[in-house]
Amino acid sequence: MSKRIIAVSMLLLITSCKSTLSPTEKRNLTNEIDAMGTIDQVAAYIPQGKYANYSRQRWNSFKDSVMADNTKRAELLYKKYGYLGFDKVGEKGETQFWVIVQHSDKSVDFQNKVLKSLKKEVSKKNASPDNYALLYDRVKINNGEKQLFGTQVEYRKNGQAKPKIGLIDSINVDGWRVKYNLEPLKKYLNFMTERNFNINKNILIKKGITEPVFYK
C-alpha cells in the first residue's frame, strides 16, 4: 500500500465522525434532537390529547412510524457526529438522544454500537452513567439475556414490577447500580409498581388489587 493511500485512509478514519461543531451547528443539532425527543415521548406513553381518540390500530401505526423515523434519523446523526454527548447537545439533548436509541428496539445492532460509544463518553464525563446502565440492560433484554442493573421490568399479575428475564448477579446488583448513579433496586421496583398501578388502576381494581403491591 502506497504512502498516499495510507494517508487518505487515515484522513477518512479521522473525519468519519465530526467532533468539532460550530455554535450554529450545535444549536441546529440540539433543536433537531429536542423535536425528535418530544415526539418520542408522545409515542412512548399512553395516548393523550388528540391521540386519545385513536383506534388501537391507528395508535400502534403512529407509534411504530415515530420510532422507525427516529431510529433512521438517529443512525444518520450517529454516523456523522458519533455519540451526542454533553459537548454537542447539552445534558438534556444527551438524554433525548439516548432515549431515542433506547427505543430503537428494532435495530439492536445500532443500539449495541451506541452502547460501546456511550461507555467511552461516560468515562470522559460527557454522558450520563445511568443512561449507560439502562441501555446496557435494554441490549441484554433484546438479545434474550439477563440484565446487570435490573432496569427493564415486566409485571406480575398483581401489578408488581420485576426485572425482565432476570438478573446476572442478584446479590451484588445494588453495588452495580450505585456505581452508575441508580437508586437501590427495591426502591426502583416499588416506583415502577406504583406507576403501573396508577396507569392501570381500573383494570387492577377489577382484579381485586386495590393498592400497589410493594416489596417490603
Side-chain angles (χ1 to χ4, degrees):
M1 185 180 291
S2 70
K3 291 182 179 180
R4 182 173 180 178
I5 294 176
I6 293 174
V8 171
S9 298
M10 289 296 291
L11 180 61
L12 289 173
L13 181 63
I14 292 170
T15 59
S16 59
C17 288
K18 191 170 184 179
S19 58
T20 303
L21 306 180
S22 70
T24 299
E25 287 176 310
K26 284 185 178 182
R27 182 171 60 255
N28 291 340
L29 187 56
T30 300
N31 289 341
E32 181 174 8
I33 290 298
D34 185 61
M36 293 168 66
T38 298
I39 192 64
D40 171 274
Q41 290 304 288
V42 170
Y45 199 57
I46 58 177
Q48 297 187 49
K50 68 178 183 180
Y51 303 104
N53 296 321
Y54 276 26
S55 66
R56 181 179 294 273
Q57 182 178 1
R58 187 181 181 190
W59 172 254
N60 288 336
S61 178
F62 164 75
K63 182 175 181 177
D64 289 344
S65 177
V66 168
M67 299 305 178
D69 289 347
N70 270 358
T71 295
K72 184 177 180 180
R73 184 57 184 160
E75 287 178 325
L76 293 173
L77 292 174
Y78 176 73
K79 185 176 182 180
K80 183 175 182 178
Y81 299 106
Y83 187 80
L84 301 185
F86 301 153
D87 58 338
K88 294 172 183 172
V89 291
E91 291 188 23
K92 179 184 177 183
E94 186 267 332
T95 290
Q96 288 176 314
F97 179 70
W98 158 78
V99 81
I100 290 165
V101 177
Q102 185 85 345
H103 291 159
S104 298
D105 294 315
K106 294 185 179 180
S107 186
V108 183
D109 287 343
F110 173 53
Q111 288 180 325
N112 213 3
K113 289 177 184 177
V114 174
L115 181 66
K116 293 175 182 177
S117 297
L118 178 51
K119 185 176 184 179
K120 295 177 182 177
E121 297 306 313
V122 168
S123 69
K124 295 188 291 186
K125 301 187 185 304
N126 192 42
S128 303
D130 50 333
N131 288 345
Y132 173 80
L134 271 83
L135 184 57
Y136 181 94
D137 279 352
R138 191 83 164 207
V139 170
K140 285 291 185 180
I141 290 300
N142 285 337
N143 285 316
E145 301 173 11
K146 292 183 177 181
Q147 307 175 58
L148 182 60
F149 304 97
T151 62
Q152 307 301 296
V153 303
E154 59 186 358
Y155 298 94
R156 295 185 170 93
K157 291 181 179 180
N158 64 3
Q160 187 182 55
K162 67 174 183 176
K164 192 173 183 180
I165 297 181
L167 298 171
I168 296 171
D169 183 1
S170 59
I171 295 175
N172 298 303
V173 63
D174 280 340
W176 284 107
R177 288 177 66 88
V178 74
K179 289 180 181 178
Y180 287 85
N181 296 345
L182 296 172
E183 62 191 352
L185 181 60
K186 183 190 294 186
K187 185 176 181 180
Y188 172 71
L189 292 178
N190 282 342
F191 167 78
M192 295 301 289
T193 295
E194 184 172 28
R195 181 174 180 268
N196 180 60
F197 179 83
N198 290 333
I199 292 174
N200 299 291
K201 192 171 184 177
N202 293 334
I203 296 173
L204 291 169
I205 286 176
K206 288 180 180 178
K207 293 181 179 180
I209 303 162
T210 58
E211 60 184 18
V213 183
F214 293 129
Y215 291 89
K216 305 299 183 181

